[in-house]
Amino acid sequence: MLPSFAANGFLPLGRYSVSFDVAESMLVSAPEFQNSTTRTGLWDSFHGYLDRFLTLEETYADLLDGLPLVHRLWLGGSFVSTKPDPGNIDATLLIDTRAERAVRGKPGSKWLTTAFQSRERMREKFGVSPLRIGYQPVAHIFEPERLTPDERTYFTQRGVWDDWWQRCRLPNQDDRSPSEESAAPARGYLEVRL
């Protein structure tokens, strides 16, 4: 069942897994956004941003052996709300570190760094404000003493951004930064499968 926006304009609490096409139908082509002046353009630009990862996957398919560069994509912020004209798309990309290592140093792979170096530059060029999590599968989650530093970093980053996308700014508050007062989960976000 597809999540739908609650009366407050946000998704109910939680992370909702959807395909890329379903995300587009919910956030761009849904009837409530037919008069939006920004959503279609932002989504098209976002396609351009993601296409660079997909091009690397196609180019180095033999090295990747079926691994995707973008394991999952989390969408949150005002684009995942009923706001008619959001200013950008807030996204967290879970980059598969195994795939990333396989293509590092190859022609075009500088994108894996450039894509996250300057959120402001990516917002200006593609309408996306990207964040990166280095995804890696971990089998021994019930044995924390076995976690490598990279695995600990992965779990920390994943938890931080899962927490962040469920927060809301407090109404009538001048301070727009995260705060203890705004830490309680208040909305949901999308996990997009490419």
Side-chain angles (χ1 to χ4, degrees):
M1 185 167 105
L2 289 178
S4 56
F5 293 108
N8 66 1
F10 298 111
L11 294 176
L13 289 178
R15 182 174 67 234
Y16 299 92
S17 181
V18 297
S19 69
F20 194 78
D21 290 340
V22 167
E24 180 176 14
S25 69
M26 285 179 62
L27 305 174
V28 182
S29 57
E32 63 260 41
F33 301 128
Q34 69 182 3
N35 295 323
S36 173
T37 60
T38 62
R39 285 182 177 268
T40 299
L42 285 170
W43 194 255
D44 290 346
S45 293
F46 188 46
H47 265 275
Y49 177 82
L50 293 174
D51 279 347
R52 294 184 179 214
F53 292 97
L54 300 176
T55 297
L56 283 171
E57 286 179 10
E58 290 173 21
T59 303
Y60 299 110
D62 57 326
L63 295 175
L64 294 173
D65 197 30
L67 288 175
L69 279 167
V70 180
H71 170 72
R72 290 290 187 270
L73 172 67
W74 291 353
L75 298 178
S78 63
F79 201 80
V80 183
S81 77
T82 56
K83 183 176 182 178
D85 294 310
N88 68 307
I89 296 176
D90 293 300
T92 300
L93 285 80
L94 283 76
I95 302 296
D96 192 308
T97 56
R98 301 165 301 170
E100 185 178 43
R101 280 192 298 274
V103 301
R104 278 278 180 214
K106 304 289 188 263
S109 67
K110 186 176 180 189
W111 173 249
L112 295 171
T113 302
T114 305
F116 303 101
Q117 269 182 336
S118 169
R119 291 176 63 208
E120 184 58 36
R121 188 167 155 226
M122 292 299 110
R123 190 171 25 248
E124 289 171 7
K125 187 169 184 176
F126 296 102
V128 62
S129 181
L131 299 163
R132 180 193 178 279
I133 295 174
Y135 167 79
Q136 50 189 301
V138 179
H140 48 271
I141 60 170
F142 296 116
E143 301 172 74
E145 68 279 0
R146 291 183 53 200
L147 295 176
T148 67
D150 286 343
E151 290 168 341
R152 287 181 191 279
T153 298
Y154 162 62
F155 282 126
T156 299
Q157 289 178 342
R158 185 178 179 104
V160 163
W161 296 119
D162 175 75
D163 181 279
W164 174 249
W165 292 131
Q166 295 187 72
R167 293 181 182 213
C168 280
R169 291 186 181 130
L170 296 175
N172 303 320
Q173 184 175 343
D174 293 332
D175 179 15
R176 295 173 59 136
S177 63
S179 65
E180 194 173 316
E181 293 79 19
S182 67
R187 65 177 166 183
Y189 66 97
L190 295 181
E191 178 175 81
V192 181
R193 303 179 309 270
L194 299 180

